PDB file of all heavy atoms in Angstrom:
ATOM      1  N   GLU Z   9      -5.489   1.747  -5.664  1.00 96.00           N
ATOM      2  CA  GLU Z   9      -5.627   2.561  -4.438  1.00 96.00           C
ATOM      3  C   GLU Z   9      -6.152   1.722  -3.273  1.00 96.00           C
ATOM      4  O   GLU Z   9      -5.656   1.812  -2.143  1.00 96.00           O
ATOM      5  CB  GLU Z   9      -6.536   3.742  -4.719  1.00 96.00           C
ATOM      6  CG  GLU Z   9      -5.992   4.730  -5.726  1.00 96.00           C
ATOM      7  CD  GLU Z   9      -7.053   5.741  -6.159  1.00 96.00           C
ATOM      8  OE1 GLU Z   9      -8.225   5.585  -5.814  1.00 96.00           O
ATOM      9  OE2 GLU Z   9      -6.684   6.688  -6.902  1.00 96.00           O
ATOM     10  N   MET Z  10      -7.188   0.928  -3.519  1.00 96.00           N
ATOM     11  CA  MET Z  10      -7.826   0.179  -2.471  1.00 96.00           C
ATOM     12  C   MET Z  10      -6.877  -0.877  -1.842  1.00 96.00           C
ATOM     13  O   MET Z  10      -6.995  -1.228  -0.682  1.00 96.00           O
ATOM     14  CB  MET Z  10      -9.102  -0.507  -2.982  1.00 96.00           C
ATOM     15  CG  MET Z  10     -10.232   0.401  -3.279  1.00 96.00           C
ATOM     16  SD  MET Z  10     -11.736  -0.462  -3.790  1.00 96.00           S
ATOM     17  CE  MET Z  10     -12.196  -1.274  -2.258  1.00 96.00           C
ATOM     18  N   LEU Z  11      -5.986  -1.397  -2.654  1.00 96.00           N
ATOM     19  CA  LEU Z  11      -5.119  -2.457  -2.189  1.00 96.00           C
ATOM     20  C   LEU Z  11      -3.742  -1.968  -1.842  1.00 96.00           C
ATOM     21  O   LEU Z  11      -2.794  -2.773  -1.742  1.00 96.00           O
ATOM     22  CB  LEU Z  11      -5.024  -3.575  -3.269  1.00 96.00           C
ATOM     23  CG  LEU Z  11      -6.325  -4.326  -3.504  1.00 96.00           C
ATOM     24  CD1 LEU Z  11      -6.267  -5.218  -4.721  1.00 96.00           C
ATOM     25  CD2 LEU Z  11      -6.728  -5.125  -2.259  1.00 96.00           C
ATOM     26  N   ALA Z  12      -3.626  -0.675  -1.604  1.00 94.00           N
ATOM     27  CA  ALA Z  12      -2.334  -0.138  -1.185  1.00 94.00           C
ATOM     28  C   ALA Z  12      -1.829  -0.765   0.094  1.00 94.00           C
ATOM     29  O   ALA Z  12      -0.630  -0.983   0.272  1.00 94.00           O
ATOM     30  CB  ALA Z  12      -2.436   1.385  -1.017  1.00 94.00           C
ATOM     31  N   VAL Z  13      -2.759  -1.089   1.012  1.00 94.00           N
ATOM     32  CA  VAL Z  13      -2.401  -1.723   2.271  1.00 94.00           C
ATOM     33  C   VAL Z  13      -2.731  -3.202   2.260  1.00 94.00           C
ATOM     34  O   VAL Z  13      -1.988  -4.014   2.789  1.00 94.00           O
ATOM     35  CB  VAL Z  13      -3.148  -1.033   3.443  1.00 94.00           C
ATOM     36  CG1 VAL Z  13      -2.920  -1.733   4.759  1.00 94.00           C
ATOM     37  CG2 VAL Z  13      -2.711   0.435   3.553  1.00 94.00           C
ATOM     38  N   HIS Z  14      -3.818  -3.557   1.608  1.00 95.00           N
ATOM     39  CA  HIS Z  14      -4.307  -4.965   1.660  1.00 95.00           C
ATOM     40  C   HIS Z  14      -3.776  -5.839   0.530  1.00 95.00           C
ATOM     41  O   HIS Z  14      -4.302  -6.925   0.313  1.00 95.00           O
ATOM     42  CB  HIS Z  14      -5.842  -4.956   1.623  1.00 95.00           C
ATOM     43  CG  HIS Z  14      -6.488  -4.304   2.819  1.00 95.00           C
ATOM     44  ND1 HIS Z  14      -6.457  -4.834   4.081  1.00 95.00           N
ATOM     45  CD2 HIS Z  14      -7.131  -3.097   2.925  1.00 95.00           C
ATOM     46  CE1 HIS Z  14      -7.061  -4.041   4.931  1.00 95.00           C
ATOM     47  NE2 HIS Z  14      -7.473  -2.975   4.285  1.00 95.00           N
ATOM     48  N   TRP Z  15      -2.756  -5.364  -0.185  1.00 95.00           N
ATOM     49  CA  TRP Z  15      -2.277  -6.166  -1.302  1.00 95.00           C
ATOM     50  C   TRP Z  15      -1.760  -7.543  -0.902  1.00 95.00           C
ATOM     51  O   TRP Z  15      -1.882  -8.512  -1.685  1.00 95.00           O
ATOM     52  CB  TRP Z  15      -1.212  -5.403  -2.118  1.00 95.00           C
ATOM     53  CG  TRP Z  15       0.077  -5.119  -1.364  1.00 95.00           C
ATOM     54  CD1 TRP Z  15       0.369  -4.007  -0.666  1.00 95.00           C
ATOM     55  CD2 TRP Z  15       1.198  -5.983  -1.286  1.00 95.00           C
ATOM     56  NE1 TRP Z  15       1.636  -4.115  -0.127  1.00 95.00           N
ATOM     57  CE2 TRP Z  15       2.164  -5.333  -0.484  1.00 95.00           C
ATOM     58  CE3 TRP Z  15       1.491  -7.243  -1.783  1.00 95.00           C
ATOM     59  CZ2 TRP Z  15       3.396  -5.863  -0.185  1.00 95.00           C
ATOM     60  CZ3 TRP Z  15       2.733  -7.815  -1.478  1.00 95.00           C
ATOM     61  CH2 TRP Z  15       3.696  -7.126  -0.712  1.00 95.00           C
ATOM     62  N   PRO Z  16      -1.196  -7.742   0.322  1.00 95.00           N
ATOM     63  CA  PRO Z  16      -0.765  -9.111   0.664  1.00 95.00           C
ATOM     64  C   PRO Z  16      -1.914 -10.108   0.740  1.00 95.00           C
ATOM     65  O   PRO Z  16      -1.796 -11.277   0.374  1.00 95.00           O
ATOM     66  CB  PRO Z  16      -0.093  -8.947   2.033  1.00 95.00           C
ATOM     67  CG  PRO Z  16       0.329  -7.522   2.077  1.00 95.00           C
ATOM     68  CD  PRO Z  16      -0.719  -6.791   1.345  1.00 95.00           C
ATOM     69  N   ALA Z  17      -3.083  -9.611   1.212  1.00 96.00           N
ATOM     70  CA  ALA Z  17      -4.246 -10.486   1.233  1.00 96.00           C
ATOM     71  C   ALA Z  17      -4.679 -10.851  -0.176  1.00 96.00           C
ATOM     72  O   ALA Z  17      -4.987 -12.021  -0.470  1.00 96.00           O
ATOM     73  CB  ALA Z  17      -5.407  -9.831   1.963  1.00 96.00           C
ATOM     74  N   ALA Z  18      -4.697  -9.857  -1.081  1.00 97.00           N
ATOM     75  CA  ALA Z  18      -5.036 -10.132  -2.472  1.00 97.00           C
ATOM     76  C   ALA Z  18      -4.056 -11.074  -3.103  1.00 97.00           C
ATOM     77  O   ALA Z  18      -4.450 -11.980  -3.859  1.00 97.00           O
ATOM     78  CB  ALA Z  18      -5.089  -8.790  -3.263  1.00 97.00           C
ATOM     79  N   LEU Z  19      -2.796 -10.914  -2.820  1.00 95.00           N
ATOM     80  CA  LEU Z  19      -1.785 -11.799  -3.372  1.00 95.00           C
ATOM     81  C   LEU Z  19      -1.956 -13.213  -2.883  1.00 95.00           C
ATOM     82  O   LEU Z  19      -1.895 -14.174  -3.667  1.00 95.00           O
ATOM     83  CB  LEU Z  19      -0.370 -11.284  -3.000  1.00 95.00           C
ATOM     84  CG  LEU Z  19       0.816 -12.106  -3.539  1.00 95.00           C
ATOM     85  CD1 LEU Z  19       0.787 -12.175  -5.050  1.00 95.00           C
ATOM     86  CD2 LEU Z  19       2.120 -11.527  -3.007  1.00 95.00           C
ATOM     87  N   GLY Z  20      -2.195 -13.368  -1.590  1.00 96.00           N
ATOM     88  CA  GLY Z  20      -2.383 -14.709  -1.022  1.00 96.00           C
ATOM     89  C   GLY Z  20      -3.608 -15.389  -1.618  1.00 96.00           C
ATOM     90  O   GLY Z  20      -3.552 -16.567  -2.037  1.00 96.00           O
ATOM     91  N   ILE Z  21      -4.699 -14.660  -1.689  1.00 97.00           N
ATOM     92  CA  ILE Z  21      -5.948 -15.214  -2.248  1.00 97.00           C
ATOM     93  C   ILE Z  21      -5.740 -15.601  -3.719  1.00 97.00           C
ATOM     94  O   ILE Z  21      -6.084 -16.701  -4.156  1.00 97.00           O
ATOM     95  CB  ILE Z  21      -7.090 -14.192  -2.123  1.00 97.00           C
ATOM     96  CG1 ILE Z  21      -7.432 -13.951  -0.661  1.00 97.00           C
ATOM     97  CG2 ILE Z  21      -8.317 -14.639  -2.896  1.00 97.00           C
ATOM     98  CD1 ILE Z  21      -8.201 -12.677  -0.411  1.00 97.00           C
ATOM     99  N   GLY Z  22      -5.158 -14.673  -4.478  1.00 95.00           N
ATOM    100  CA  GLY Z  22      -4.971 -14.913  -5.898  1.00 95.00           C
ATOM    101  C   GLY Z  22      -4.054 -16.075  -6.195  1.00 95.00           C
ATOM    102  O   GLY Z  22      -4.343 -16.917  -7.058  1.00 95.00           O
ATOM    103  N   LEU Z  23      -2.953 -16.177  -5.432  1.00 94.00           N
ATOM    104  CA  LEU Z  23      -2.025 -17.281  -5.661  1.00 94.00           C
ATOM    105  C   LEU Z  23      -2.591 -18.618  -5.283  1.00 94.00           C
ATOM    106  O   LEU Z  23      -2.420 -19.634  -6.023  1.00 94.00           O
ATOM    107  CB  LEU Z  23      -0.724 -17.016  -4.908  1.00 94.00           C
ATOM    108  CG  LEU Z  23       0.209 -15.929  -5.471  1.00 94.00           C
ATOM    109  CD1 LEU Z  23       1.465 -15.815  -4.616  1.00 94.00           C
ATOM    110  CD2 LEU Z  23       0.592 -16.241  -6.914  1.00 94.00           C
ATOM    111  N   ILE Z  24      -3.314 -18.683  -4.143  1.00 95.00           N
ATOM    112  CA  ILE Z  24      -3.894 -19.954  -3.731  1.00 95.00           C
ATOM    113  C   ILE Z  24      -4.885 -20.471  -4.762  1.00 95.00           C
ATOM    114  O   ILE Z  24      -4.865 -21.637  -5.180  1.00 95.00           O
ATOM    115  CB  ILE Z  24      -4.562 -19.799  -2.351  1.00 95.00           C
ATOM    116  CG1 ILE Z  24      -3.504 -19.614  -1.260  1.00 95.00           C
ATOM    117  CG2 ILE Z  24      -5.447 -21.024  -2.023  1.00 95.00           C
ATOM    118  CD1 ILE Z  24      -4.063 -19.187   0.076  1.00 95.00           C
ATOM    119  N   LEU Z  25      -5.755 -19.576  -5.234  1.00 95.00           N
ATOM    120  CA  LEU Z  25      -6.771 -20.007  -6.200  1.00 95.00           C
ATOM    121  C   LEU Z  25      -6.160 -20.257  -7.593  1.00 95.00           C
ATOM    122  O   LEU Z  25      -6.634 -21.115  -8.335  1.00 95.00           O
ATOM    123  CB  LEU Z  25      -7.876 -18.974  -6.266  1.00 95.00           C
ATOM    124  CG  LEU Z  25      -8.713 -18.899  -4.975  1.00 95.00           C
ATOM    125  CD1 LEU Z  25      -9.642 -17.687  -4.978  1.00 95.00           C
ATOM    126  CD2 LEU Z  25      -9.494 -20.147  -4.731  1.00 95.00           C
ATOM    127  N   PHE Z  26      -5.133 -19.490  -7.934  1.00 92.00           N
ATOM    128  CA  PHE Z  26      -4.457 -19.747  -9.220  1.00 92.00           C
ATOM    129  C   PHE Z  26      -3.772 -21.082  -9.183  1.00 92.00           C
ATOM    130  O   PHE Z  26      -3.881 -21.856 -10.165  1.00 92.00           O
ATOM    131  CB  PHE Z  26      -3.411 -18.622  -9.469  1.00 92.00           C
ATOM    132  CG  PHE Z  26      -2.554 -18.920 -10.661  1.00 92.00           C
ATOM    133  CD1 PHE Z  26      -3.055 -18.733 -11.940  1.00 92.00           C
ATOM    134  CD2 PHE Z  26      -1.241 -19.348 -10.496  1.00 92.00           C
ATOM    135  CE1 PHE Z  26      -2.246 -19.005 -13.069  1.00 92.00           C
ATOM    136  CE2 PHE Z  26      -0.440 -19.617 -11.594  1.00 92.00           C
ATOM    137  CZ  PHE Z  26      -0.943 -19.454 -12.885  1.00 92.00           C
ATOM    138  N   LEU Z  27      -3.115 -21.408  -8.100  1.00 91.00           N
ATOM    139  CA  LEU Z  27      -2.434 -22.724  -7.988  1.00 91.00           C
ATOM    140  C   LEU Z  27      -3.451 -23.838  -8.060  1.00 91.00           C
ATOM    141  O   LEU Z  27      -3.194 -24.909  -8.652  1.00 91.00           O
ATOM    142  CB  LEU Z  27      -1.621 -22.803  -6.711  1.00 91.00           C
ATOM    143  CG  LEU Z  27      -0.364 -21.900  -6.675  1.00 91.00           C
ATOM    144  CD1 LEU Z  27       0.293 -21.949  -5.292  1.00 91.00           C
ATOM    145  CD2 LEU Z  27       0.637 -22.293  -7.771  1.00 91.00           C
ATOM    146  N   LEU Z  28      -4.616 -23.627  -7.445  1.00 90.00           N
ATOM    147  CA  LEU Z  28      -5.688 -24.644  -7.538  1.00 90.00           C
ATOM    148  C   LEU Z  28      -6.146 -24.818  -8.975  1.00 90.00           C
ATOM    149  O   LEU Z  28      -6.361 -25.953  -9.426  1.00 90.00           O
ATOM    150  CB  LEU Z  28      -6.871 -24.250  -6.645  1.00 90.00           C
ATOM    151  CG  LEU Z  28      -8.068 -25.180  -6.623  1.00 90.00           C
ATOM    152  CD1 LEU Z  28      -7.690 -26.557  -6.146  1.00 90.00           C
ATOM    153  CD2 LEU Z  28      -9.185 -24.605  -5.781  1.00 90.00           C
ATOM    154  N   SER Z  29      -6.251 -23.728  -9.705  1.00 89.00           N
ATOM    155  CA  SER Z  29      -6.771 -23.815 -11.076  1.00 89.00           C
ATOM    156  C   SER Z  29      -5.773 -24.455 -12.031  1.00 89.00           C
ATOM    157  O   SER Z  29      -6.140 -25.036 -13.048  1.00 89.00           O
ATOM    158  CB  SER Z  29      -7.147 -22.406 -11.592  1.00 89.00           C
ATOM    159  OG  SER Z  29      -6.001 -21.595 -11.715  1.00 89.00           O
ATOM    160  N   VAL Z  30      -4.448 -24.346 -11.733  1.00 86.00           N
ATOM    161  CA  VAL Z  30      -3.464 -24.945 -12.617  1.00 86.00           C
ATOM    162  C   VAL Z  30      -2.911 -26.290 -12.086  1.00 86.00           C
ATOM    163  O   VAL Z  30      -2.107 -26.910 -12.751  1.00 86.00           O
ATOM    164  CB  VAL Z  30      -2.259 -23.971 -12.865  1.00 86.00           C
ATOM    165  CG1 VAL Z  30      -2.744 -22.708 -13.480  1.00 86.00           C
ATOM    166  CG2 VAL Z  30      -1.499 -23.708 -11.576  1.00 86.00           C
ATOM    167  N   ALA Z  31      -3.344 -26.680 -10.892  1.00 82.00           N
ATOM    168  CA  ALA Z  31      -2.842 -27.954 -10.323  1.00 82.00           C
ATOM    169  C   ALA Z  31      -3.048 -29.135 -11.239  1.00 82.00           C
ATOM    170  O   ALA Z  31      -2.161 -29.985 -11.374  1.00 82.00           O
ATOM    171  CB  ALA Z  31      -3.508 -28.181  -8.965  1.00 82.00           C
ATOM    172  N   PRO Z  32      -4.223 -29.277 -11.908  1.00 75.00           N
ATOM    173  CA  PRO Z  32      -4.388 -30.408 -12.826  1.00 75.00           C
ATOM    174  C   PRO Z  32      -3.377 -30.422 -13.952  1.00 75.00           C
ATOM    175  O   PRO Z  32      -2.940 -31.491 -14.385  1.00 75.00           O
ATOM    176  CB  PRO Z  32      -5.820 -30.194 -13.362  1.00 75.00           C
ATOM    177  CG  PRO Z  32      -6.505 -29.403 -12.316  1.00 75.00           C
ATOM    178  CD  PRO Z  32      -5.447 -28.492 -11.762  1.00 75.00           C
ATOM    179  N   LEU Z  33      -3.002 -29.249 -14.460  1.00 74.00           N
ATOM    180  CA  LEU Z  33      -2.002 -29.188 -15.508  1.00 74.00           C
ATOM    181  C   LEU Z  33      -0.657 -29.679 -15.016  1.00 74.00           C
ATOM    182  O   LEU Z  33       0.053 -30.410 -15.726  1.00 74.00           O
ATOM    183  CB  LEU Z  33      -1.898 -27.766 -16.045  1.00 74.00           C
ATOM    184  CG  LEU Z  33      -3.090 -27.170 -16.770  1.00 74.00           C
ATOM    185  CD1 LEU Z  33      -2.816 -25.703 -17.148  1.00 74.00           C
ATOM    186  CD2 LEU Z  33      -3.414 -27.968 -18.006  1.00 74.00           C
ATOM    187  N   ALA Z  34      -0.326 -29.278 -13.787  1.00 74.00           N
ATOM    188  CA  ALA Z  34       0.933 -29.737 -13.206  1.00 74.00           C
ATOM    189  C   ALA Z  34       0.934 -31.232 -13.012  1.00 74.00           C
ATOM    190  O   ALA Z  34       1.931 -31.922 -13.273  1.00 74.00           O
ATOM    191  CB  ALA Z  34       1.170 -28.996 -11.861  1.00 74.00           C
ATOM    192  N   LEU Z  35      -0.185 -31.769 -12.556  1.00 73.00           N
ATOM    193  CA  LEU Z  35      -0.308 -33.220 -12.346  1.00 73.00           C
ATOM    194  C   LEU Z  35      -0.186 -33.967 -13.678  1.00 73.00           C
ATOM    195  O   LEU Z  35       0.470 -35.014 -13.748  1.00 73.00           O
ATOM    196  CB  LEU Z  35      -1.624 -33.540 -11.662  1.00 73.00           C
ATOM    197  CG  LEU Z  35      -1.879 -35.021 -11.318  1.00 73.00           C
ATOM    198  CD1 LEU Z  35      -0.777 -35.550 -10.420  1.00 73.00           C
ATOM    199  CD2 LEU Z  35      -3.230 -35.193 -10.659  1.00 73.00           C
ATOM    200  N   GLU Z  36      -0.804 -33.408 -14.703  1.00 70.00           N
ATOM    201  CA  GLU Z  36      -0.731 -34.063 -16.029  1.00 70.00           C
ATOM    202  C   GLU Z  36       0.701 -34.034 -16.555  1.00 70.00           C
ATOM    203  O   GLU Z  36       1.131 -34.976 -17.242  1.00 70.00           O
ATOM    204  CB  GLU Z  36      -1.683 -33.390 -16.980  1.00 70.00           C
ATOM    205  CG  GLU Z  36      -1.791 -34.098 -18.316  1.00 70.00           C
ATOM    206  CD  GLU Z  36      -2.942 -33.573 -19.169  1.00 70.00           C
ATOM    207  OE1 GLU Z  36      -3.752 -32.791 -18.639  1.00 70.00           O
ATOM    208  OE2 GLU Z  36      -3.017 -33.927 -20.334  1.00 70.00           O
ATOM    209  N   PHE Z  37       1.408 -32.950 -16.261  1.00 72.00           N
ATOM    210  CA  PHE Z  37       2.806 -32.849 -16.698  1.00 72.00           C
ATOM    211  C   PHE Z  37       3.676 -33.847 -15.971  1.00 72.00           C
ATOM    212  O   PHE Z  37       4.589 -34.459 -16.565  1.00 72.00           O
ATOM    213  CB  PHE Z  37       3.330 -31.424 -16.456  1.00 72.00           C
ATOM    214  CG  PHE Z  37       4.761 -31.236 -16.842  1.00 72.00           C
ATOM    215  CD1 PHE Z  37       5.099 -31.028 -18.175  1.00 72.00           C
ATOM    216  CD2 PHE Z  37       5.767 -31.208 -15.882  1.00 72.00           C
ATOM    217  CE1 PHE Z  37       6.452 -30.830 -18.533  1.00 72.00           C
ATOM    218  CE2 PHE Z  37       7.098 -31.040 -16.241  1.00 72.00           C
ATOM    219  CZ  PHE Z  37       7.431 -30.845 -17.580  1.00 72.00           C
ATOM    220  N   ILE Z  38       3.391 -34.057 -14.668  1.00 74.00           N
ATOM    221  CA  ILE Z  38       4.186 -34.993 -13.880  1.00 74.00           C
ATOM    222  C   ILE Z  38       3.843 -36.436 -14.246  1.00 74.00           C
ATOM    223  O   ILE Z  38       4.722 -37.304 -14.324  1.00 74.00           O
ATOM    224  CB  ILE Z  38       3.915 -34.763 -12.358  1.00 74.00           C
ATOM    225  CG1 ILE Z  38       4.420 -33.370 -11.969  1.00 74.00           C
ATOM    226  CG2 ILE Z  38       4.592 -35.829 -11.514  1.00 74.00           C
ATOM    227  CD1 ILE Z  38       4.021 -32.951 -10.575  1.00 74.00           C
ATOM    228  N   ALA Z  39       2.539 -36.711 -14.440  1.00 70.00           N
ATOM    229  CA  ALA Z  39       2.098 -38.067 -14.744  1.00 70.00           C
ATOM    230  C   ALA Z  39       1.245 -38.082 -16.017  1.00 70.00           C
ATOM    231  O   ALA Z  39       0.003 -38.197 -15.929  1.00 70.00           O
ATOM    232  CB  ALA Z  39       1.300 -38.633 -13.566  1.00 70.00           C
ATOM    233  N   PRO Z  40       1.819 -37.934 -17.201  1.00 71.00           N
ATOM    234  CA  PRO Z  40       1.064 -37.876 -18.460  1.00 71.00           C
ATOM    235  C   PRO Z  40       0.284 -39.149 -18.748  1.00 71.00           C
ATOM    236  O   PRO Z  40      -0.650 -39.116 -19.531  1.00 71.00           O
ATOM    237  CB  PRO Z  40       2.146 -37.613 -19.493  1.00 71.00           C
ATOM    238  CG  PRO Z  40       3.432 -38.088 -18.887  1.00 71.00           C
ATOM    239  CD  PRO Z  40       3.296 -37.852 -17.421  1.00 71.00           C
ATOM    240  N   SER Z  41       0.666 -40.239 -18.127  1.00 73.00           N
ATOM    241  CA  SER Z  41      -0.037 -41.510 -18.406  1.00 73.00           C
ATOM    242  C   SER Z  41      -1.450 -41.491 -17.903  1.00 73.00           C
ATOM    243  O   SER Z  41      -2.325 -42.240 -18.402  1.00 73.00           O
ATOM    244  CB  SER Z  41       0.730 -42.672 -17.753  1.00 73.00           C
ATOM    245  OG  SER Z  41       0.775 -42.481 -16.357  1.00 73.00           O
ATOM    246  N   LEU Z  42      -1.764 -40.618 -16.936  1.00 69.00           N
ATOM    247  CA  LEU Z  42      -3.121 -40.551 -16.382  1.00 69.00           C
ATOM    248  C   LEU Z  42      -4.124 -40.154 -17.450  1.00 69.00           C
ATOM    249  O   LEU Z  42      -5.232 -40.651 -17.531  1.00 69.00           O
ATOM    250  CB  LEU Z  42      -3.169 -39.597 -15.199  1.00 69.00           C
ATOM    251  CG  LEU Z  42      -2.429 -40.025 -13.936  1.00 69.00           C
ATOM    252  CD1 LEU Z  42      -2.413 -38.881 -12.899  1.00 69.00           C
ATOM    253  CD2 LEU Z  42      -3.101 -41.263 -13.339  1.00 69.00           C
ATOM    254  N   SER Z  43      -3.716 -39.199 -18.297  1.00 68.00           N
ATOM    255  CA  SER Z  43      -4.602 -38.729 -19.354  1.00 68.00           C
ATOM    256  C   SER Z  43      -4.892 -39.837 -20.351  1.00 68.00           C
ATOM    257  O   SER Z  43      -6.065 -40.014 -20.758  1.00 68.00           O
ATOM    258  CB  SER Z  43      -3.941 -37.533 -20.075  1.00 68.00           C
ATOM    259  OG  SER Z  43      -4.755 -37.101 -21.126  1.00 68.00           O
ATOM    260  N   ALA Z  44      -3.867 -40.569 -20.692  1.00 69.00           N
ATOM    261  CA  ALA Z  44      -4.075 -41.686 -21.649  1.00 69.00           C
ATOM    262  C   ALA Z  44      -4.903 -42.810 -21.044  1.00 69.00           C
ATOM    263  O   ALA Z  44      -5.698 -43.445 -21.729  1.00 69.00           O
ATOM    264  CB  ALA Z  44      -2.707 -42.222 -22.101  1.00 69.00           C
TER     265      ALA Z  44
END
């Protein structure tokens, strides 16, 4: 109910922080040698 109007803000916030949290995984997938 609360995000009936403000859902775009929630989506933007959630996606930005989610991408930040998974960015290291993406980098490791792209450059697996870094881990080794």
Side-chain angles (χ1 to χ4, degrees):
E9 294 169 353
M10 290 184 68
L11 293 171
V13 174
H14 297 289
W15 66 266
L19 180 60
I21 293 162
L23 285 181
I24 290 170
L25 293 170
F26 173 75
L27 290 174
L28 179 61
S29 67
V30 300
L33 294 176
L35 182 58
E36 187 169 350
F37 179 79
I38 296 170
S41 61
L42 291 173
S43 178

